[in-house]
Amino acid sequence: MKRYVIALAVGLCSALPSHAQFQKPEDAVKYRKAAFTVMATHFGRIGAMAQGRVPFDGAAAAANAEIVAEIAKLPYMAFVEGTGGNEKGSPKANVWSERAKFDEAAKNLQTEAAKLALAAKANNLDQLKAAFGNTARTCKACHDNFRND
Amino acid sequence: MKRYVIALAVGLCSALPSHAQFQKPEDAVKYRKAAFTVMATHFGRIGAMAQGRVPFDGAAAAANAEIVAEIAKLPYMAFVEGTGGNEKGSPKANVWSERAKFDEAAKNLQTEAAKLALAAKANNLDQLKAAFGNTARTCKACHDNFRND
């Protein structure tokens, strides 16, 4: 019964096989897009405060920034070889031909997102704006270099 | 310049408006699907160990369980009214007509996922299997009650 429940649960709750991080290339693509969607949602909520479109709420900023910092660690392992393309939004081939540079760009986001999470805890809008801008620049830098327009 | 960078960054990195958690119902749907995709990926990696399909790796289990516990907090705020449907996989109408029961089902996942993260840190396969099974049952219970087959 226990074995049955676990087998059923894996079928219901997961999409992953045993022998690889991602069974199929499309699983990696789906995963990284999902991680970026979640991250962008929470980053956007901070942006709305940084831009003055919603009132500054220190606790909300801190909660959102914490999620951004955690999710920022996730998508890059899913840039597996053979998952690039020429369509708008898809990774350029240099993600793999210049992998060290790409990994550095990812690391820059992770570093600035961690600083953003710290800054958000300070409950100070100016600090939040500065850290948001720095983090946003790492998004843009990576998109400019490694993503198809 | 600073304002320009921030405006640009929000356009590039986010999909969210200022005045609501989600601007459009479809943003909420996209977000919650994304959160479930990320969670299922990491939960599946634990399942592979619990089922013996990959060797038990305590550190990997702990890292994956930590992500599951964090992501488990996210998708439920995105079940906004009017985003149900009749298609396979979409939420049934009772998500909203029985919202307290749905919220309790979500809370059950969050509670068991937190226990899973603790169990995974114990570096003991039997504990991991038990906590995985308990967490998986909360997935199944919610799917059985609130998701279209």
Side-chain angles (χ1 to χ4, degrees):
Chain A
M1 170 63 185
K2 194 171 177 185
R3 189 173 298 250
Y4 168 75
V5 168
I6 290 177
L8 190 68
V10 169
L12 285 166
C13 296
S14 82
L16 260 209
S18 52
H19 55 284
Q21 290 287 67
F22 297 101
Q23 187 172 34
K24 293 172 291 185
E26 52 266 40
D27 293 340
V29 173
K30 185 180 177 189
Y31 171 88
R32 73 190 183 217
K33 284 184 177 176
F36 284 125
T37 291
V38 174
M39 183 163 62
T41 300
H42 294 279
F43 192 64
R45 290 179 188 168
I46 300 167
M49 293 182 213
Q51 294 185 305
R53 287 184 287 116
V54 299
F56 174 56
D57 174 337
N64 281 300
E66 192 66 46
I67 297 167
V68 171
E70 287 305 311
I71 305 284
K73 300 171 186 170
L74 302 183
Y76 301 100
M77 65 175 161
F79 281 82
V80 296
E81 285 264 9
T83 58
N86 295 316
E87 320 85 69
K88 182 173 156 60
S90 66
K92 293 181 188 166
N94 66 340
V95 166
W96 297 277
S97 65
E98 302 181 282
R99 184 76 204 207
K101 197 175 153 196
F102 177 72
D103 288 342
E104 192 184 330
K107 185 78 191 160
N108 289 343
L109 165 65
Q110 291 157 355
T111 300
E112 295 305 327
K115 288 185 194 168
L116 175 64
L118 279 176
K121 283 182 188 147
N123 199 26
N124 174 295
L125 181 56
D126 286 335
Q127 282 186 47
L128 186 75
K129 282 181 180 177
F132 176 80
N134 290 339
T135 308
R137 280 180 203 93
T138 69
C139 302
K140 181 177 182 330
C142 196
H143 295 170
D144 285 352
N145 288 321
F146 296 104
R147 191 176 72 164
N148 286 296
D149 292 326
Chain B
M1 169 64 186
K2 194 171 176 185
R3 190 173 298 250
Y4 168 75
V5 168
I6 289 177
L8 191 68
V10 170
L12 284 165
C13 295
S14 83
L16 260 208
S18 52
H19 54 284
Q21 290 287 66
F22 297 100
Q23 187 172 34
K24 294 172 290 185
E26 52 267 40
D27 294 340
V29 173
K30 184 180 177 188
Y31 172 87
R32 74 189 182 216
K33 283 184 177 177
F36 284 125
T37 292
V38 174
M39 183 163 62
T41 300
H42 294 279
F43 192 64
R45 289 179 189 169
I46 299 167
M49 293 184 212
Q51 293 185 305
R53 287 183 288 115
V54 299
F56 174 56
D57 175 336
N64 282 300
E66 193 66 45
I67 297 167
V68 170
E70 287 305 312
I71 305 284
K73 300 171 187 169
L74 303 182
Y76 301 101
M77 64 176 163
F79 281 83
V80 296
E81 285 264 9
T83 59
N86 295 316
E87 320 84 69
K88 182 173 155 60
S90 67
K92 293 181 189 168
N94 66 340
V95 166
W96 296 278
S97 64
E98 302 181 282
R99 185 75 202 207
K101 196 176 155 197
F102 177 71
D103 289 342
E104 192 184 331
K107 185 79 191 159
N108 290 342
L109 165 66
Q110 291 157 355
T111 300
E112 295 305 326
K115 288 185 194 169
L116 175 64
L118 279 177
K121 283 183 187 146
N123 200 25
N124 174 295
L125 181 57
D126 286 335
Q127 283 186 46
L128 185 75
K129 282 182 181 178
F132 174 81
N134 290 339
T135 308
R137 280 180 203 95
T138 68
C139 302
K140 182 176 181 332
C142 196
H143 295 170
D144 285 352
N145 288 322
F146 296 104
R147 192 176 72 163
N148 286 295
D149 291 326

Short mmCIF file of all heavy atoms in Angstrom, two decimals, chain A residues 7-34:
data_model
loop_
_atom_site.label_atom_id
_atom_site.label_comp_id
_atom_site.label_asym_id
_atom_site.label_seq_id
_atom_site.Cartn_x
_atom_site.Cartn_y
_atom_site.Cartn_z
N ALA A 7 4.18 5.45 -5.45
CA ALA A 7 4.22 5.39 -6.92
C ALA A 7 3.17 6.32 -7.53
O ALA A 7 3.43 7.07 -8.46
CB ALA A 7 3.97 3.95 -7.39
N LEU A 8 2.01 6.29 -6.93
CA LEU A 8 0.92 7.14 -7.39
C LEU A 8 1.31 8.60 -7.23
O LEU A 8 1.08 9.43 -8.11
CB LEU A 8 -0.31 6.83 -6.55
CG LEU A 8 -1.64 7.43 -6.99
CD1 LEU A 8 -2.07 6.79 -8.31
CD2 LEU A 8 -2.70 7.13 -5.93
N ALA A 9 1.90 8.89 -6.10
CA ALA A 9 2.25 10.28 -5.78
C ALA A 9 3.27 10.82 -6.76
O ALA A 9 3.18 11.96 -7.20
CB ALA A 9 2.80 10.35 -4.36
N VAL A 10 4.23 10.00 -7.11
CA VAL A 10 5.24 10.48 -8.05
C VAL A 10 4.59 10.76 -9.40
O VAL A 10 4.87 11.77 -10.04
CB VAL A 10 6.40 9.47 -8.18
CG1 VAL A 10 7.30 9.84 -9.33
CG2 VAL A 10 7.18 9.44 -6.88
N GLY A 11 3.69 9.90 -9.77
CA GLY A 11 2.97 10.14 -11.01
C GLY A 11 2.16 11.43 -10.97
O GLY A 11 2.12 12.18 -11.92
N LEU A 12 1.56 11.67 -9.84
CA LEU A 12 0.71 12.85 -9.71
C LEU A 12 1.50 14.13 -9.55
O LEU A 12 1.12 15.17 -10.06
CB LEU A 12 -0.19 12.72 -8.48
CG LEU A 12 -1.36 11.77 -8.60
CD1 LEU A 12 -1.93 11.49 -7.22
CD2 LEU A 12 -2.43 12.39 -9.48
N CYS A 13 2.53 14.05 -8.74
CA CYS A 13 3.16 15.29 -8.27
C CYS A 13 4.46 15.62 -8.99
O CYS A 13 5.01 16.69 -8.78
CB CYS A 13 3.47 15.20 -6.79
SG CYS A 13 2.00 15.06 -5.77
N SER A 14 4.98 14.74 -9.78
CA SER A 14 6.28 15.04 -10.34
C SER A 14 6.31 14.73 -11.82
O SER A 14 5.44 14.07 -12.35
CB SER A 14 7.35 14.22 -9.65
OG SER A 14 7.41 12.94 -10.23
N ALA A 15 7.32 15.23 -12.45
CA ALA A 15 7.48 14.98 -13.87
C ALA A 15 8.87 14.43 -14.13
O ALA A 15 9.30 14.39 -15.26
CB ALA A 15 7.26 16.26 -14.64
N LEU A 16 9.54 14.04 -13.08
CA LEU A 16 10.96 13.75 -13.23
C LEU A 16 11.32 12.29 -13.10
O LEU A 16 10.77 11.58 -12.29
CB LEU A 16 11.74 14.51 -12.17
CG LEU A 16 12.39 15.76 -12.64
CD1 LEU A 16 13.62 16.01 -11.81
CD2 LEU A 16 12.78 15.69 -14.10
N PRO A 17 12.27 11.89 -13.89
CA PRO A 17 12.74 10.51 -13.86
C PRO A 17 13.85 10.36 -12.83
O PRO A 17 14.28 11.33 -12.22
CB PRO A 17 13.32 10.34 -15.24
CG PRO A 17 13.89 11.68 -15.51
CD PRO A 17 13.00 12.67 -14.86
N SER A 18 14.30 9.17 -12.73
CA SER A 18 15.29 8.87 -11.71
C SER A 18 16.70 9.17 -12.15
O SER A 18 17.54 9.59 -11.37
CB SER A 18 15.19 7.39 -11.37
OG SER A 18 15.26 6.65 -12.57
N HIS A 19 16.98 8.96 -13.41
CA HIS A 19 18.37 8.83 -13.82
C HIS A 19 18.99 10.11 -14.37
O HIS A 19 20.11 10.10 -14.83
CB HIS A 19 18.48 7.71 -14.86
CG HIS A 19 17.57 7.92 -16.02
ND1 HIS A 19 16.21 7.69 -15.94
CD2 HIS A 19 17.80 8.39 -17.26
CE1 HIS A 19 15.65 7.98 -17.10
NE2 HIS A 19 16.58 8.40 -17.91
N ALA A 20 18.26 11.19 -14.34
CA ALA A 20 18.83 12.42 -14.89
C ALA A 20 18.16 13.59 -14.21
O ALA A 20 17.06 13.46 -13.67
CB ALA A 20 18.59 12.49 -16.39
N GLN A 21 18.80 14.73 -14.25
CA GLN A 21 18.15 15.93 -13.72
C GLN A 21 16.89 16.22 -14.52
O GLN A 21 15.87 16.55 -13.96
CB GLN A 21 19.12 17.11 -13.79
CG GLN A 21 20.29 17.02 -12.83
CD GLN A 21 19.85 17.28 -11.40
OE1 GLN A 21 19.11 16.50 -10.81
NE2 GLN A 21 20.31 18.36 -10.82
N PHE A 22 17.02 16.10 -15.83
CA PHE A 22 15.85 16.27 -16.70
C PHE A 22 15.83 15.13 -17.69
O PHE A 22 16.83 14.88 -18.37
CB PHE A 22 15.92 17.61 -17.43
CG PHE A 22 15.88 18.80 -16.50
CD1 PHE A 22 17.03 19.47 -16.17
CD2 PHE A 22 14.67 19.21 -15.94
CE1 PHE A 22 17.00 20.55 -15.29
CE2 PHE A 22 14.64 20.29 -15.06
CZ PHE A 22 15.81 20.96 -14.74
N GLN A 23 14.69 14.46 -17.79
CA GLN A 23 14.60 13.30 -18.67
C GLN A 23 14.70 13.73 -20.13
O GLN A 23 15.41 13.12 -20.92
CB GLN A 23 13.29 12.57 -18.43
CG GLN A 23 13.19 11.25 -19.20
CD GLN A 23 11.97 10.45 -18.79
OE1 GLN A 23 10.91 11.01 -18.47
NE2 GLN A 23 12.10 9.14 -18.81
N LYS A 24 13.96 14.79 -20.45
CA LYS A 24 13.92 15.25 -21.84
C LYS A 24 14.31 16.72 -21.88
O LYS A 24 14.04 17.46 -20.94
CB LYS A 24 12.49 15.10 -22.39
CG LYS A 24 12.03 13.65 -22.52
CD LYS A 24 10.55 13.57 -22.88
CE LYS A 24 9.67 14.02 -21.73
NZ LYS A 24 8.23 13.87 -21.94
N PRO A 25 14.89 17.16 -23.00
CA PRO A 25 15.25 18.58 -23.11
C PRO A 25 14.06 19.50 -22.85
O PRO A 25 14.20 20.54 -22.20
CB PRO A 25 15.72 18.70 -24.57
CG PRO A 25 16.15 17.33 -24.95
CD PRO A 25 15.28 16.38 -24.19
N GLU A 26 12.87 19.11 -23.31
CA GLU A 26 11.71 19.98 -23.12
C GLU A 26 11.31 20.11 -21.65
O GLU A 26 10.70 21.12 -21.26
CB GLU A 26 10.52 19.54 -23.99
CG GLU A 26 10.11 18.09 -23.86
CD GLU A 26 10.76 17.18 -24.91
OE1 GLU A 26 11.96 17.37 -25.21
OE2 GLU A 26 10.07 16.28 -25.41
N ASP A 27 11.67 19.12 -20.85
CA ASP A 27 11.43 19.26 -19.41
C ASP A 27 12.30 20.37 -18.82
O ASP A 27 11.87 21.12 -17.96
CB ASP A 27 11.76 17.95 -18.68
CG ASP A 27 10.81 16.82 -19.04
OD1 ASP A 27 9.70 17.10 -19.53
OD2 ASP A 27 11.18 15.66 -18.82
N ALA A 28 13.55 20.43 -19.31
CA ALA A 28 14.46 21.48 -18.83
C ALA A 28 13.96 22.86 -19.25
O ALA A 28 13.99 23.82 -18.46
CB ALA A 28 15.87 21.24 -19.37
N VAL A 29 13.47 22.95 -20.48
CA VAL A 29 12.96 24.24 -20.98
C VAL A 29 11.74 24.67 -20.17
O VAL A 29 11.64 25.82 -19.73
CB VAL A 29 12.61 24.13 -22.49
CG1 VAL A 29 11.92 25.40 -22.97
CG2 VAL A 29 13.87 23.87 -23.30
N LYS A 30 10.84 23.73 -19.95
CA LYS A 30 9.62 24.04 -19.18
C LYS A 30 9.98 24.48 -17.76
O LYS A 30 9.42 25.45 -17.24
CB LYS A 30 8.71 22.80 -19.13
CG LYS A 30 7.38 23.05 -18.45
CD LYS A 30 6.51 21.79 -18.42
CE LYS A 30 5.21 22.07 -17.66
NZ LYS A 30 4.42 20.86 -17.42
N TYR A 31 10.92 23.78 -17.17
CA TYR A 31 11.34 24.10 -15.80
C TYR A 31 11.96 25.49 -15.73
O TYR A 31 11.62 26.28 -14.85
CB TYR A 31 12.34 23.05 -15.31
CG TYR A 31 12.99 23.41 -13.99
CD1 TYR A 31 12.39 23.05 -12.79
CD2 TYR A 31 14.19 24.10 -13.94
CE1 TYR A 31 12.96 23.39 -11.57
CE2 TYR A 31 14.77 24.45 -12.73
CZ TYR A 31 14.15 24.08 -11.55
OH TYR A 31 14.73 24.43 -10.35
N ARG A 32 12.88 25.80 -16.62
CA ARG A 32 13.55 27.10 -16.49
C ARG A 32 12.58 28.25 -16.79
O ARG A 32 12.62 29.28 -16.13
CB ARG A 32 14.82 27.17 -17.35
CG ARG A 32 14.61 27.29 -18.83
CD ARG A 32 15.92 27.12 -19.60
NE ARG A 32 15.70 27.31 -21.01
CZ ARG A 32 16.31 26.61 -21.97
NH1 ARG A 32 17.20 25.67 -21.67
NH2 ARG A 32 16.06 26.86 -23.24
N LYS A 33 11.69 28.04 -17.76
CA LYS A 33 10.68 29.08 -18.03
C LYS A 33 9.80 29.30 -16.80
O LYS A 33 9.44 30.43 -16.46
CB LYS A 33 9.79 28.69 -19.22
CG LYS A 33 10.46 28.86 -20.57
CD LYS A 33 9.46 28.53 -21.69
CE LYS A 33 10.06 28.76 -23.06
NZ LYS A 33 9.12 28.36 -24.13
N ALA A 34 9.45 28.20 -16.15
CA ALA A 34 8.61 28.29 -14.95
C ALA A 34 9.33 29.06 -13.85
O ALA A 34 8.75 29.93 -13.19
CB ALA A 34 8.23 26.89 -14.47
#
